[in-house]
Amino acid sequence: MFAQVTLQDWENLVKKQLKIEDIYAVLTKENLEGISVKPYYADTDFILKNLPKVEESTHLVAKYQDNLEEHAYAFLLEHNVEHLTEKTLFVANKDLAGHISLADDNQYISLIDVFENQEINTKLAEELLSKNFKRNIAVDITFYQNAGASITQQLALALAKAKDLAEVFGAEILEKLVFKFAVGGNYFFEIAKIRAFKILFNQLSKEFGLDSIPYIFTETSLRNKAKNDEENNLIRSTLELSAAMIAGSDAVYSNDFKVQNSNSLSEEISFKQQIVLAYESIINVFDDAANGSYYIEEITHQFAENAWKLFLEIENSGGFVENLKSGKIAEMIYQQAIAEQNWVEEGKIKLIGVNLYPKLEKTKSVEQLYNAQEIKPVRWAEMFE
């Protein structure tokens, strides 16, 4: 039997090793998410409940290429491919969705968001809902992550968009949605983000008399990628895919690790990152591989609580569309984005090969990169390119 170790035992040992009394001044790490992170976890105040996913095994999604037909079972389609059989096909083009030929032995999932020009495109939504798709409409949050939204903001915006859709089309639409998230490089926080959304969406569905599990499609972020740092991009995106799978995503997709000059080979390599993770690490078959980690459980619930609070604020001021029109959403993302970019400039957020090993010279200011009236994707490395 192992001896019982208390928090006091741990603190005394660390004080001795660091030769200081106030160990928390050294070990406590600041973050821009407003999340309290302790250096030591021996228990959790929350019940360790398994958070299920919709798909039994996470779909490994490849951008369609002829040479990947034998190796991939799920494709991201931007144009019609009629000869595919026994595949899961993610339709990413709204024009394609209107005339795609549905084969009986394939399953089709829409990645098309119906929020356009600060409104819900009801005609497009009705057209998608009429299709014999497994999931008909996407709630796309990747745009906001790549524009600099915090994790709490991403979660609240996903709920707010879903709530607006339910108010227009009824509660049954909640079972027909795909939630599309971009996963960044803050590994444990990103695992907690996906887990927190499962809690939040289930809570939202109960407000409509349901008990639903969200369908979650995740892709690698563009925000932390650099043009001149392709090999490091590959490592970053592998970690992001790992976080997405461990968190229990239903589908994962890797954006090309080459920010510019991408080609069929780089697209294939990006897809094969998923293959290695799935078939060598075997992390794509678990519902909730992070369940049981006191640290992840604690930050999962912090994100859920903070996001629900922000969601209610958005609802109390009119909902997603109204807050988008008023500029409140753009302003809140702008404030978060410039805070992040300042941390990148100061080196508090480290990008190997950009602001560390070697350190590149700054070429653009925060003011040149961001606009309080416009939500737009910005990569951190653009400041140095």
Side-chain angles (χ1 to χ4, degrees), residues 318-356:
F320 175 79
V321 168
E322 289 305 312
N323 278 265
L324 198 61
K325 287 179 178 178
S326 70
K328 289 181 180 178
I329 289 174
E331 175 63 24
M332 101 179 156
I333 293 174
Y334 170 75
Q335 294 298 333
Q336 180 70 23
I338 60 172
E340 276 188 355
Q341 195 70 53
N342 284 330
W343 271 35
V344 172
E345 184 178 1
E346 295 165 16
K348 290 182 179 179
I349 294 175
K350 295 175 175 58
L351 280 180
I352 306 301
V354 177
N355 65 357
L356 187 68

Side-chain angles (χ1 to χ4, degrees), residues 201-218:
F201 181 75
N202 183 253
Q203 185 172 339
L204 176 67
S205 74
K206 287 178 178 177
E207 300 292 325
F208 291 93
L210 303 172
D211 187 19
S212 302
I213 302 168
Y215 191 107
I216 299 177
F217 179 105
T218 53

Side-chain angles (χ1 to χ4, degrees), residues 120-379:
I120 297 174
N121 185 335
T122 54
K123 182 179 179 181
L124 174 60
E126 288 167 356
E127 181 181 342
L128 291 171
L129 289 169
S130 70
K131 299 293 180 183
N132 188 26
F133 290 169
K134 182 176 180 179
R135 296 272 168 161
N136 303 74
I137 290 174
V139 174
D140 191 351
I141 305 300
T142 62
F143 176 74
Y144 302 106
Q145 193 275 347
N146 286 308
S150 71
I151 288 175
T152 296
Q153 290 168 355
Q154 293 169 52
L155 295 170
L157 292 175
L159 288 178
K161 291 180 79 170
K163 177 70 163 23
D164 275 15
L165 288 169
E167 288 181 345
V168 174
F169 298 101
E172 59 273 13
I173 199 173
L174 296 178
E175 302 282 358
K176 300 176 181 180
L177 300 178
V178 178
F179 291 90
K180 190 166 176 259
F181 287 97
V183 175
N186 196 335
Y187 191 74
F188 295 109
F189 275 27
E190 293 292 344
I191 292 173
K193 175 174 82 177
I194 300 302
R195 296 182 79 249
F197 188 70
K198 295 187 179 192
I199 296 170
L200 290 164
F201 181 75
N202 183 253
Q203 185 172 339
L204 176 67
S205 74
K206 287 178 178 177
E207 300 292 325
F208 291 93
L210 303 172
D211 187 19
S212 302
I213 302 168
Y215 191 107
I216 299 177
F217 179 105
T218 53
E219 64 178 46
T220 55
S221 175
L222 298 175
R223 186 153 171 78
N224 60 351
K225 306 304 185 294
K227 283 184 179 179
N228 303 317
D229 208 21
E230 295 168 352
E231 293 80 6
N232 286 339
N233 287 345
L234 194 60
I235 296 168
R236 292 181 186 114
S237 57
T238 301
L239 291 170
E240 291 161 7
L241 290 167
S242 170
M245 291 184 189
I246 286 173
S249 297
D250 296 290
V252 293
Y253 173 73
S254 183
N255 283 302
D256 199 318
F257 69 94
K258 287 190 173 185
V259 174
Q260 60 182 5
N261 302 321
S262 64
N263 52 48
S264 59
L265 178 59
S266 61
E267 289 178 358
E268 183 176 347
I269 291 171
S270 296
F271 168 65
K272 287 184 176 177
Q273 290 175 273
Q274 303 169 190
I275 298 293
V276 172
L277 286 169
Y279 292 101
E280 294 189 14
S281 299
I282 319 175
I283 58 175
N284 66 319
V285 297
F286 299 100
D287 278 352
D288 187 7
N291 185 13
S293 165
Y294 296 147
Y295 168 47
I296 294 176
E297 203 69 41
E298 289 281 342
I299 60 175
T300 293
H301 283 269
Q302 284 187 60
F303 277 125
E305 289 171 1
N306 293 350
W308 188 259
K309 181 180 177 182
L310 179 56
F311 163 64
L312 293 179
E313 290 175 9
I314 293 171
E315 283 305 296
N316 290 336
S317 56
F320 175 79
V321 168
E322 289 305 312
N323 278 265
L324 198 61
K325 287 179 178 178
S326 70
K328 289 181 180 178
I329 289 174
E331 175 63 24
M332 101 179 156
I333 293 174
Y334 170 75
Q335 294 298 333
Q336 180 70 23
I338 60 172
E340 276 188 355
Q341 195 70 53
N342 284 330
W343 271 35
V344 172
E345 184 178 1
E346 295 165 16
K348 290 182 179 179
I349 294 175
K350 295 175 175 58
L351 280 180
I352 306 301
V354 177
N355 65 357
L356 187 68
Y357 307 126
K359 182 177 180 180
L360 303 179
E361 295 298 320
K362 187 175 77 169
T363 61
K364 300 182 186 72
S365 68
V366 170
E367 291 74 22
Q368 289 173 306
L369 290 169
Y370 297 94
N371 185 326
Q373 280 73 50
E374 181 186 6
I375 306 172
K376 63 175 183 177
V378 177
R379 291 178 296 105

